[in-house]
Amino acid sequence: MADNNGNSGSNEKPATKLLDELEEGPWPSFVTEIKSAAEANDSARDLLGQLEVSYEEKKSHWKHGGLVGVLGYGGGVIGRYSDVGDQFPKVAHFHTLRVNQPAAWFYSSEALRKVCDIWERHGSGLTNMHGSTGDMILLGTTTDQLEPTFQELTHAGFDLGGSGSAVRTPSCCVGMARCEWACFDTMKLCYDLTMTYQDELHRPAFPYKFKFKCSGCPNDCVASIARSDLAVIGTWKDDIQIDQEEVGKYAAAGLNIQRDVCGNCPGKCMDWDGRALHIENRDCVRCMHCINAMPKALRPGKEKGAVILIGAKAPIVQGALLSSVLIPFVPADELLDTLKELVQRIWDFWDEYGTNRERIGELIQRVGLPAFLDGIGLDPVPEMVAAPRDNPYIYFQTEKEGDQ
């Protein structure tokens, strides 16, 4: 008698010669975890079998045979079907649910147990905590179990995350909850963005995906500069705070400040004379290197806020892109209002001129930054320059007769 997962109670284990090799390294293996789940779940057992076949044949056996979802939502569920379902029937349907994670991935043990209990009742029991999407990923269930899973998750206080051509689930670092360098409240901003854009998150209506990521300081612990269409990275506007007495203690303890701190400063704005550290703050690029090297001696400035960057993506249609500066500094208490106004302008332009599966960074590359800035009504500033110009000549165009 099978349960909701289709577990038949069979104890047959597929031969996994190639997968077994992935357990031999010094690090934890996903194969070990799937084998553990397979002890009580037939879909996990069939997953091992299909993976072994894929490794033998050097090709994937997952296919997209149609769209699946839950009532009222256009996203949050990734439809996945096997093209060898006759051989591995328990993974013939193996849909994935994306669950919106709490800001900065703070969970209580009780909350995690609730999710795991729900997933063991309705799915494979396998999870991904947390992958490149940011969401909590629930891997593998059948079409008829999607709606019951969703209903139990919502009653437990959870919601689905984003998928498809929509706002993806916003994510952030721990910010002020755990980090002394945070220049704005990342968790609050992430929560506010998630609540503000619920419709855009659950009902795909964009040319392609759009990701928000918030980092509290330039250390960028969620890699927003490389992985988000709109990155918010904490920074400061005034001078780095210096405790010269603590600087001296680092020198006395053996740190070569001139070589290891000043010598590695990308802005070349620091100098150590053996008694005091001098910083030319107008040349500082806010990289955090010196603060990371001497955390007891240096701190970010007091006038805190964030820089807003745009256009990062991984290589899919075109190559990978890093974010470019859009607004150099926004005070911390103005971030949400500024973002809401700015994002609406960006989305209006993207909706008008973006092509299918074109990320916002690719659109900017195609139409050019001047056209994009003009389209969203933003004045250019020097911080937007991604690289120095390679043409040293400047051409002046005189006004034509009659021009004002």
Side-chain angles (χ1 to χ4, degrees):
M1 184 71 179
D3 62 15
N4 287 338
N5 298 321
N7 293 341
S8 62
S10 170
N11 291 318
E12 287 187 28
K13 295 181 180 179
T16 54
K17 180 180 178 181
L18 295 178
L19 288 177
D20 292 346
E21 294 185 21
L22 297 179
E23 296 183 278
E24 296 178 1
W27 299 283
S29 170
F30 73 95
V31 174
T32 302
E33 301 306 318
I34 298 176
K35 286 181 178 179
S36 176
E39 295 294 331
N41 189 290
D42 287 351
S43 61
R45 189 175 296 120
D46 273 7
L47 176 62
L48 286 171
Q50 180 170 313
L51 279 173
E52 183 71 16
V53 171
S54 290
Y55 280 35
E56 289 172 354
E57 299 179 357
K58 296 182 174 61
K59 68 176 184 179
S60 173
H61 284 288
W62 298 116
K63 64 177 182 177
H64 289 279
L67 297 176
V68 291
V70 298
L71 187 64
Y73 282 28
V77 179
I78 315 299
R80 184 169 290 122
Y81 300 87
S82 170
D83 63 10
V84 287
D86 54 340
Q87 188 176 351
F88 303 104
K90 301 304 180 183
V91 293
H93 297 191
F94 203 71
H95 309 313
T96 290
L97 282 82
R98 289 181 177 168
V99 180
N100 195 325
Q101 79 277 357
W105 306 290
F106 280 106
Y107 296 93
S108 68
S109 299
E110 180 185 5
L112 286 173
R113 288 191 180 96
K114 283 183 180 179
V115 173
C116 290
D117 288 345
I118 292 169
W119 192 229
E120 286 183 352
R121 284 194 292 272
H122 298 287
S124 69
L126 297 170
T127 63
N128 183 336
M129 306 279 288
H130 285 266
S132 59
T133 65
D135 303 272
M136 184 196 311
I137 307 298
L138 306 184
L139 291 161
T141 192
T142 56
T143 304
D144 62 309
Q145 290 299 314
L146 290 173
E147 193 66 35
T149 307
F150 173 61
Q151 292 299 326
E152 283 206 50
L153 285 170
T154 54
H155 288 138
F158 286 88
D159 199 354
L160 297 190
S163 69
S165 299
V167 169
R168 297 300 180 84
T169 312
S171 64
C172 67
C173 69
V174 297
M176 293 179 172
R178 293 291 299 261
C179 180
E180 60 184 317
W181 307 137
C183 295
F184 70 96
D185 191 339
T186 56
M187 293 176 64
K188 182 180 187 303
L189 181 63
C190 183
Y191 177 80
D192 288 344
L193 290 172
T194 304
M195 295 297 103
T196 299
Y197 296 116
Q198 283 291 294
D199 195 59
E200 291 80 6
L201 197 152
H202 290 138
R203 295 165 185 87
F206 292 159
Y208 204 20
K209 67 183 78 169
F210 193 93
K211 296 182 177 181
F212 292 100
K213 293 188 187 296
C214 307
S215 288
C217 77
N219 281 325
D220 195 12
C221 291
V222 291
S224 63
I225 198 170
R227 297 173 54 196
S228 62
D229 298 274
L230 199 76
V232 185
I233 302 178
T235 188
W236 60 94
K237 196 173 182 179
D238 54 346
D239 294 350
I240 293 175
Q241 301 178 69
I242 307 176
D243 185 330
Q244 297 289 359
E245 182 179 349
E246 290 292 340
V247 174
K249 290 180 180 179
Y250 278 105
L255 177 65
N256 189 326
I257 295 175
Q258 186 60 41
R259 183 192 67 193
D260 298 332
V261 180
C262 302
N264 289 323
C265 173
K268 304 302 179 187
C269 68
M270 310 182 74
D271 184 64
W272 166 248
D273 62 9
R275 295 184 301 276
L277 181 69
H278 305 279
I279 302 177
E280 189 62 57
N281 280 275
R282 66 180 181 179
D283 295 328
C284 174
V285 297
R286 312 296 195 269
C287 73
M288 292 287 290
H289 166 69
C290 61
I291 297 175
N292 292 333
M294 298 189 295
K296 293 183 179 180
L298 304 175
R299 300 187 66 84
K302 296 179 180 180
E303 191 176 353
K304 295 181 172 66
V307 55
I308 299 174
L309 303 97
I310 192 166
K313 58 175 284 294
I316 299 179
V317 177
Q318 297 183 23
L321 293 173
L322 289 179
S323 292
S324 299
V325 172
L326 194 60
I327 301 180
F329 185 81
V330 179
D333 58 356
E334 299 177 13
L335 270 173
L336 181 61
D337 290 338
T338 299
L339 283 170
K340 287 165 67 175
E341 181 182 353
L342 178 66
V343 164
Q344 192 57 57
R345 294 189 204 176
I346 292 170
W347 285 351
D348 287 345
F349 186 85
W350 190 32
D351 183 60
E352 181 73 21
Y353 298 105
T355 61
N356 187 40
R357 291 178 65 82
E358 183 176 53
R359 299 283 286 272
I360 190 68
E362 294 169 323
L363 171 62
I364 294 171
Q365 279 193 321
R366 178 167 60 85
V367 304
L369 183 60
F372 174 73
L373 294 176
D374 183 64
I376 66 172
L378 203 61
D379 293 330
V381 293
E383 289 85 351
M384 294 176 179
V385 176
R389 58 184 289 167
D390 54 14
N391 182 343
Y393 296 97
I394 300 174
Y395 298 93
F396 294 93
Q397 184 175 358
T398 58
E399 293 182 354
K400 295 180 181 179
E401 187 176 349
D403 288 348
Q404 300 299 319

